[in-house]
Amino acid sequence: MSRRALRRLRGEQRGQEPLGPDALRFDLLEDDDADDEGPKPGLGGRRPGAAGKEGVRVNNRFELINMEDLEDGLVVNGERSDATLPDSVSSGNKGRAQRGNPETKQDGDVANAGFPEQSNASGKLRKKKKKQKNKKSCPGESSENGLEDIDRILERIEDSSGFSHPGPPPLSSRKHILYVEHRHLNPDTELKRYFGARAVLGEQRPRQRQRVYPKCAWLTTPKSTWPRYSKPGLSMRLLESKKGLSFFAFEHSEEYQQAQHKFLVAVESMEPNNIVVLLQTNPYHVDSLLQLSDACRFQEDQEMARDLIERALYSMECAFHPLFSLTSGTCRLDYRRPENRSFYLALYKQMSFLEKRGCPRTALEYCKLILSLEPDEDPLCMLLLIDHLALRARNYEYLIRLFQEWEAHRNLSQLPNFAFSVPLAYFLLSQQTDLPEHELTSARQQASLLIQQALTMFPGVLMPLLECCSVRPDATVSNHHFFGPDAEISQPPALSQLVSLYLGRSHFLWKEPATMSWLEENVREVLQAVDAGDPAVEACENRRKVLYQRAPRNIHRHVILSEIKEAVAALPSDVTTQSVMGFDPLPPLDTIYSYVRPERLSPVSHGNTIALFFRSLLPNYTTEGERLEEGVARGPNRNQGLNRLMLAVRDMMANFHFNDLEFPSWNACAVSSSR
């Protein structure tokens, strides 16, 4: 009978038996049943049933209170840590068991024979451990399964949206051609790469603990010198979503519409101070910021002009719809809506500042962003600029990829800038030493083929290009009829405008000696083809006469925004004679108005003939009533005394007729005012 049964028969509880001299020394067994079924070891003996493993000696039985926690800490994932002992430890224990007395060895054998269930349990634990190791050893399989699930989900989405792909695209083409990267929208990222973080950041103050602005922005970094931001009444709404594209539009609240009406009145006054007064009450009115930025730029205050553009971008970014994305390339803004044009113009002006600042990579990202907002119509004609920025940023692969993907449906080779920039990109790519030899040879051959096609299609580009690069051409080239002065004179006006725009912007990219020698080789090849009577020469001439009759309105808008003197001088007279506003240059003829500006009461509508007469003498003359109607504080009036005199005379002569008046005194007044 076991000790436990004897204790129960006697009515004793464990721990109440009398203590002997050796009672404070005993072995801690793994469970109580080991005492019942196995032989009892001697004092200081090893724990039976442990296959030679040593027990835990306890000299104070009160230490058993925390011993259960110790044993629980040795269990990991449902298994005891002794099951994972290394071979060296288990062999050491076996050695100790073999070196021990034969009695302990026999006890261990009896214990092993007496506990088959315990050995089976330990075997099961080892099998579970092996399974877990196998699961941990193949994480690639689980990740591959996860990627397969993601691919299946994307395929279902594409099938439901109507898009179909003939096969798995290569890794380089998985991103959209107009995909914008957030990190490249920050000019500090590019400047740090050029000059280092210490030179760019300088001694900037640490950020304040209290956030002044509601949220961070991708396009600009809010400054502490700006007025505190409050919603100016500008918002964005989702119009529709179809074929994977989302169409958005900015909206003006009633308060913002009132500010917009005041802004238009201030612009018509031709006084920048009126716009400053309007910005004091509406510090985040976008069109006022754009117009005042142009005024500061004309006064050569570039820092203030750039700061105003950044504030306008921040105001519009805070109004973004939650679904509007800058990077996806699938969000559209219709340029025909006047509310959307401010965002286009703010992005373009910011891009121009970044290019002048020496950040062509960031400017290229802004150019891609503008083009992605309406790539089919391209209202600001960014295709005339994106090649230049890609070459300046040395992103030749992107320019080549854009040409390859869009040439089929956009005919990019018919634009002089793409016709000359793409072969230049191939040539500069062939000059890199980190590419394999066969790729360098292929790029050089493709560059020569494309530049010969460009020279055949646009022969009027060569001589002005050499002149801009201060290169004197060979006599055989300058005297040849194909590249001579007749080639530049005979080209259509619209083509001359495109050529002037490209040369005024990108001529310095051709000044390298290696580039110029490569160009000279291909010019001689083209002359040989012309002298041989190649039919492609005549075909290109007929194409020039048909395609370049008149430039569309978006090209004229791009030329005005570029401010390149040679291109602006080539604009037609019907564009140069009309008034062009900086906040909305050449608005589309099919503009979609969401609200109409209220009609202003003109002096003629008052029926006041005297006021009309004064206005004919002094164009800047306005009555006090008209000033109140405008609702905008005027600047200091230089003819204030003269106006008061005219108002007094008008009040005195209100009851007279024109037949009773004599005009010599009025002529004298007009002469004095002109002085």
Side-chain angles (χ1 to χ4, degrees), residues 15 17-28 43-44 56-64:
E17 57 268 5
L19 297 177
D22 297 329
L24 293 178
R25 296 191 61 185
F26 62 95
D27 293 335
L28 178 64
L43 293 176
V56 179
R57 292 184 177 276
V58 179
N59 294 329
N60 186 358
R61 65 175 58 217
F62 294 101
E63 293 180 1
L64 295 175

Side-chain angles (χ1 to χ4, degrees), residues 360 364 385-400 402 425 509:
L364 174 62
L385 177 62
I386 192 170
D387 61 299
H388 170 75
L389 295 176
L391 289 176
R392 285 200 58 189
R394 299 182 181 180
N395 199 347
Y396 311 128
E397 294 85 356
Y398 176 78
L399 177 58
I400 293 172
L402 177 64
L509 298 174

Side-chain angles (χ1 to χ4, degrees), residues 48 106 134 184 237 256 286 346 501 548 560:
Q106 291 177 359
N134 294 333
H184 289 306
R237 68 185 178 98
Y256 198 93
V286 178
L501 183 67
Y548 305 98
I560 293 174

Side-chain angles (χ1 to χ4, degrees), residues 373-447:
L373 296 178
E374 199 171 359
D376 296 333
E377 298 296 332
D378 194 10
L380 299 186
C381 209
M382 303 310 296
L383 288 177
L384 298 178
L385 177 62
I386 192 170
D387 61 299
H388 170 75
L389 295 176
L391 289 176
R392 285 200 58 189
R394 299 182 181 180
N395 199 347
Y396 311 128
E397 294 85 356
Y398 176 78
L399 177 58
I400 293 172
R401 181 190 167 197
L402 177 64
F403 179 76
Q404 292 175 351
E405 293 187 9
W406 283 24
E407 168 63 17
H409 65 282
R410 299 297 291 269
N411 293 326
L412 298 181
S413 59
Q414 304 304 315
L415 296 174
N417 59 311
F418 266 92
F420 282 86
S421 294
V422 173
L424 181 59
Y426 271 110
F427 173 75
L428 295 176
L429 191 64
S430 67
Q431 300 297 309
Q432 297 181 358
T433 58
D434 55 347
L435 296 178
E437 186 65 27
H438 66 279
E439 292 186 7
L440 298 178
T441 305
S442 177
R444 182 65 178 263
Q445 293 176 356
Q446 188 70 13

Side-chain angles (χ1 to χ4, degrees), residues 19 49 189 233 241 252 270 377 391 413 451 541:
L19 297 177
T189 303
S241 297
H252 294 170
M270 305 297 291
E377 298 296 332
L391 289 176
S413 59
I451 193 61
E541 183 178 358

Side-chain angles (χ1 to χ4, degrees), residues 289-308:
L289 293 170
L290 297 179
Q291 191 71 20
L292 190 60
S293 174
D294 289 341
C296 294
R297 187 164 51 84
F298 293 150
Q299 296 177 1
E300 297 183 356
D301 191 355
Q302 302 293 333
E303 190 66 27
M304 178 59 68
R306 187 177 63 189
D307 185 79
L308 293 173

Side-chain angles (χ1 to χ4, degrees), residues 430-482:
S430 67
Q431 300 297 309
Q432 297 181 358
T433 58
D434 55 347
L435 296 178
E437 186 65 27
H438 66 279
E439 292 186 7
L440 298 178
T441 305
S442 177
R444 182 65 178 263
Q445 293 176 356
Q446 188 70 13
S448 300
L449 176 62
L450 292 177
I451 193 61
Q452 292 175 17
Q453 295 177 0
L455 291 171
T456 305
M457 184 66 189
F458 306 105
V461 177
L462 179 63
M463 299 306 295
L465 176 61
L466 297 178
E467 184 178 357
C468 293
C469 296
S470 303
V471 175
R472 185 177 180 179
D474 193 1
T476 57
V477 177
S478 58
N479 296 332
H480 200 280
H481 67 89
F482 189 72

